[in-house]
Amino acid sequence: MTARPWIAVAAATFSSLAITVTLPASAQSSPQPKLRIGFMLPYSGTYTALGVAIENGFKLHVDELGGKLGGREIEYIKVDDESDPSKATDNVNKLIKRDNVDVIVGTVHSGVVMAMAKAAKESGTVLIVPNGGANAVTGTMCAQNIFRSSFSNWQPAYAMGEVAGKQGKKKAITITWKYAAGDEMVAGFKEGFEKAGGQVAKQITVPFPNVEFQALLTEIAAAKPDVVYSFFAGGGAVKFVKDYAAAGLNKTIPLVGPGFLTDGTLEAQGEAAQGMLTTLHYADGLNTPRDTSFRAAYAKSFKLQPDVYAVQGYDAAQMLAIGLAAVKGDIGKKAEFAGAIEKAKIDSPRGTFAVGKSHNPVQDIYLRKVDGKENRMVSVAIKGLADPARGCRM
Ligand code: PHB
């Protein structure tokens, strides 16, 4: 043996001895620090109810697991993003740089989510998106540390286009808020509708979060399309569906949309929404044991019926729990964490789904019909629909 390996062996032996001797026994078994989860959600404005439902759903699953994920206790840090893209970069950087969170959960608004995805990609912080459908988040911006428990804007929109086209509707007018979610949900509808033989005659937009619809409803009435397709959500959806009915249009031109138009809003929309058809990855009346037990638990905890947003929050917690269990709480093990979620079948109240390589759910899209206070499942409009994930290179 030459001298050098000898030194290496001696050094290795010495250092391992030194570790055994100097580390107090308690340090070896000491619990990991709390896992810091940053909720960046709308707690004010038109999407407030959506943010609250997401947080409720998330916490419900954490409670079911005894308050721990991957063996770690949880600390929550909350930021109100106000659904304001101009504040999004500052808000997300507060969580990443000031609060040093391990995971970010958020948000609802597609424009805000884009800024969050950019910051997450740059910093490597794990981001789980429990709503915001911006296609790019699991498309051109896809990344190992970014996951979505909800949908891409394309998914429910494309399905509604296909359904309306197959119903024989020929001429559609679309109306939505002018921002990424509205644009993409109209584009998805148009793609499905035109493939099935329809044509979008006019695309109307209003600035987000405006709810002044009168002049636009007059314009729609005059154009006499076969169908009106619309994306609004939260408070805006309540106002639009009520205004549409108040103008008498629901008697002559069916109003359809992605299910956000009537989800979590039926209490307030009442008579105005009856009979409406929408497409979404969740529905009332699924009647599976999984959904029934979720609904009972949610109603017991929050004295409210869950909606799609609550399900997405719940599933965000399920995905995080699966990833963390695989790495025993060490979220720094990025590849193992991501690999576990990529391989998982998420046992969602909506039905089981997998996220695939782009990290967006591959899921059934239901056709639903409003009946009283429920978005009752009519059929599965498209089974196992995957977003095209255009531009995603992992
Ligand atoms: C979005 O901005 O991506 C968004 C907002 C509310 C919804 C759905 C999508 O209900």
Side-chain angles (χ1 to χ4, degrees):
M1 233 184 220
T2 61
R4 250 174 218 289
W6 242 109
I7 291 167
V9 169
T13 313
F14 178 76
S15 69
S16 67
L17 267 180
I19 285 168
T20 328
V21 173
T22 53
L23 261 190
S26 63
Q28 291 175 28
S29 58
S30 72
Q32 300 181 71
K34 286 186 177 174
L35 184 85
R36 295 168 67 76
I37 299 180
F39 280 133
M40 183 161 153
L41 290 167
Y43 294 109
S44 59
T46 199
Y47 288 158
T48 306
L50 290 61
V52 171
I54 288 166
E55 180 178 335
N56 287 347
F58 190 96
K59 288 185 166 170
L60 176 62
H61 186 58
V62 173
D63 285 348
E64 286 172 354
L65 297 177
K68 285 188 180 180
L69 298 176
R72 292 173 71 172
E73 286 181 6
I74 310 294
E75 183 173 348
Y76 294 106
I77 297 108
K78 288 168 52 161
V79 169
D80 176 8
D81 66 45
E82 303 169 52
S83 296
D84 186 345
S86 75
K87 298 182 182 162
T89 302
D90 280 352
N91 280 330
V92 72
N93 279 329
K94 264 186 227 156
L95 288 172
I96 295 171
K97 295 182 181 151
R98 184 192 67 188
D99 301 322
N100 258 311
V101 297
D102 298 294
V103 186
I104 304 168
V105 176
T107 189
V108 169
H109 185 287
S110 271
V112 179
V113 142
M114 292 285 282
M116 295 174 75
K118 186 164 180 289
K121 209 170 160 130
E122 283 165 11
S123 67
T125 312
V126 170
L127 168 65
I128 304 185
V129 178
N131 187 74
N135 293 336
V137 166
T138 52
T140 50
M141 301 182 76
C142 76
Q144 188 185 45
N145 59 315
I146 299 176
F147 304 86
R148 188 148 49 194
S149 64
S150 51
F151 59 92
S152 73
N153 288 328
W154 179 87
Q155 284 177 305
Y158 178 84
M160 193 66 242
E162 195 179 277
V163 168
K166 283 183 177 166
Q167 281 179 339
K169 305 274 189 279
K170 292 289 173 228
K171 176 178 163 187
I173 289 187
T174 64
I175 176 165
T176 187
W177 277 315
K178 181 74 203 150
Y179 81 102
D183 293 347
E184 292 178 355
M185 286 198 224
V186 165
F189 172 81
K190 189 167 187 284
E191 189 183 328
F193 191 54
E194 293 185 348
K195 238 186 229 173
Q199 221 200 334
V200 173
K202 190 169 177 77
Q203 302 181 13
I204 300 173
T205 59
V206 276
F208 177 85
N210 286 10
V211 289
E212 285 311 316
F213 301 122
Q214 277 327 317
L216 305 171
L217 292 171
T218 308
E219 189 182 335
I220 290 171
K224 295 194 174 61
D226 301 322
V227 63
V228 172
Y229 168 86
S230 173
F231 162 69
F232 293 102
V238 172
K239 175 80 167 37
F240 183 73
V241 169
K242 290 182 90 165
D243 284 4
Y244 194 86
L249 284 176
N250 60 335
K251 300 279 183 291
T252 50
I253 311 168
L255 172 61
V256 302
F260 313 111
L261 196 55
T262 56
D263 228 83
T265 53
L266 289 175
E267 197 81 45
Q269 288 164 335
E271 208 36 53
Q274 296 309 304
M276 279 177 61
L277 291 176
T278 61
T279 45
L280 202 64
H281 47 288
Y282 191 53
D284 294 308
L286 293 181
N287 283 332
T288 58
R290 182 70 180 99
D291 189 44
T292 305
S293 66
F294 162 75
R295 285 175 171 243
Y298 191 92
K300 185 161 174 243
S301 289
F302 306 109
K303 315 286 172 255
L304 274 175
Q305 286 305 310
D307 54 21
V308 69
Y309 310 104
V311 171
Q312 293 168 171
Y314 186 84
D315 291 340
Q318 293 211 79
M319 287 163 64
L320 182 58
I322 288 167
L324 283 169
V327 297
K328 301 198 169 50
D330 183 357
I331 200 161
K333 293 185 173 162
K334 297 267 165 61
E336 280 174 56
F337 177 85
I341 299 175
E342 284 166 12
K343 281 200 268 322
K345 296 259 175 291
I346 313 295
D347 186 18
S348 171
R350 76 187 82 169
T352 307
F353 71 86
V355 294
K357 266 185 34 210
S358 73
H359 297 176
N360 187 68
V362 177
Q363 54 194 341
D364 294 350
I365 305 293
Y366 302 104
L367 175 64
R368 310 115 44 92
K369 183 174 187 174
V370 176
D371 178 7
K373 291 184 180 157
E374 298 203 323
N375 286 288
R376 292 207 72 77
M377 203 256 273
V378 175
S379 61
V380 175
I382 305 185
K383 210 167 167 45
L385 185 64
D387 180 80
R390 293 174 184 127
C392 172
R393 310 253 176 285
M394 282 275 192

